Amino acid sequence: MAVLPHNTSNAVLTLALLGLIGGCDPPSPDSPPKRPAAAPEAWTHTSKAGYSITLPGSWRPLEGKEKLDNGADLLVKNDDRLLMVIPVQVPDEIADAMPTLETFKRVSLAQLERDVEGFERVSEENIELDGAPAITLSAHGTINALPSHYILTYTQRAGWRYQIVAWSHASRAQELAKELDGLLMTWEFSATSAGQEAGQEPSGD
């Protein structure tokens, strides 16, 4: 988990997306429908950064070469859709003067606008995650020559900032939005300290 000054742009986010979506191709309209399989069990990621989120079993942790050191303490994939949570701990000496969520969002977006071709915001909404204020926005852009859809969510609590990033091919935008709405409903803050162990997660297949 990254421990960074509050005004540091998160360039690692762009690098992570560039690396991860290289093998993500849009669904072919000619592909035969897959036979539904038994749904894997849902599982909960309990973070040392003071939050937990419950995911359907179809969302699996990335392993091996797919796993990047990008500051994310949750990095999962469901078919061609990606989800990551990047927590940033605010140093004690600046915690009392921590800038607003709007500033946090603006700094993060500035990096994406520089690095993602045709990055364009589509919508923005103020929401709550487990009672804490949050900002969520959707955007389009092109990365690795793929038309891409992003949903970016920002929140903060108890000396931590959280950037939640969901990505899909542009053709799956509505599906991604529906999935993410369900995932964020399971988000909970906790008093978990850095000395406690994280919860059990499924192994990669």
Side-chain angles (χ1 to χ4, degrees):
M1 288 169 286
V3 181
L4 301 174
H6 68 284
N7 60 351
T8 300
S9 298
N10 204 344
V12 291
L13 169 59
T14 304
L15 294 175
L17 289 172
L18 281 168
L20 291 174
I21 70 174
C24 291
D25 296 319
S28 169
D30 300 324
S31 298
K34 295 180 181 179
R35 178 177 295 180
E41 289 187 10
W43 56 282
T44 298
H45 171 76
T46 302
S47 172
K48 297 176 183 179
Y51 76 91
S52 66
I53 186 170
T54 299
L55 301 103
S58 54
W59 287 89
R60 309 297 289 178
L62 274 68
E63 301 289 343
K65 293 181 180 179
E66 292 182 309
K67 195 168 184 179
L68 299 176
D69 183 15
N70 71 320
D73 80 338
L74 177 66
L75 187 55
V76 291
K77 187 174 183 179
N78 180 9
D79 193 13
D80 63 345
R81 298 177 299 288
L82 303 171
L83 176 72
M84 68 178 80
V85 179
I86 303 175
V88 178
Q89 189 170 20
V90 179
D92 291 341
E93 58 270 23
I94 64 171
D96 292 340
M98 189 162 62
T100 64
L101 264 182
E102 184 67 28
T103 301
F104 178 30
K105 178 203 74 175
R106 187 170 63 248
V107 170
S108 169
L109 286 179
Q111 184 70 45
L112 284 170
E113 288 169 347
R114 285 193 296 268
D115 294 342
V116 176
E117 181 182 352
F119 189 83
E120 179 182 2
R121 303 183 212 186
V122 177
S123 65
E124 182 173 330
E125 183 181 4
N126 293 321
I127 62 170
E128 288 190 354
L129 290 183
D130 194 21
I135 300 172
T136 187
L137 63 91
S138 61
H140 295 320
T142 302
I143 193 165
N144 276 10
L146 290 176
S148 302
H149 184 71
Y150 303 82
I151 304 177
L152 306 157
T153 304
Y154 305 91
T155 191
Q156 57 191 25
R157 182 165 173 173
W160 286 91
R161 286 179 162 169
Y162 307 92
Q163 186 175 188
I164 306 163
V165 184
W167 179 94
S168 73
H169 187 271
S171 64
R172 309 287 293 268
Q174 291 186 346
E175 185 176 350
L176 180 69
K178 184 177 180 179
E179 283 184 303
L180 185 62
D181 283 347
L183 295 176
L184 292 182
M185 289 180 64
T186 73
W187 179 283
E188 293 184 350
F189 292 105
S190 66
T192 304
S193 68
Q196 292 179 290
E197 292 296 326
Q200 183 67 35
E201 298 184 11
S203 58
D205 293 331

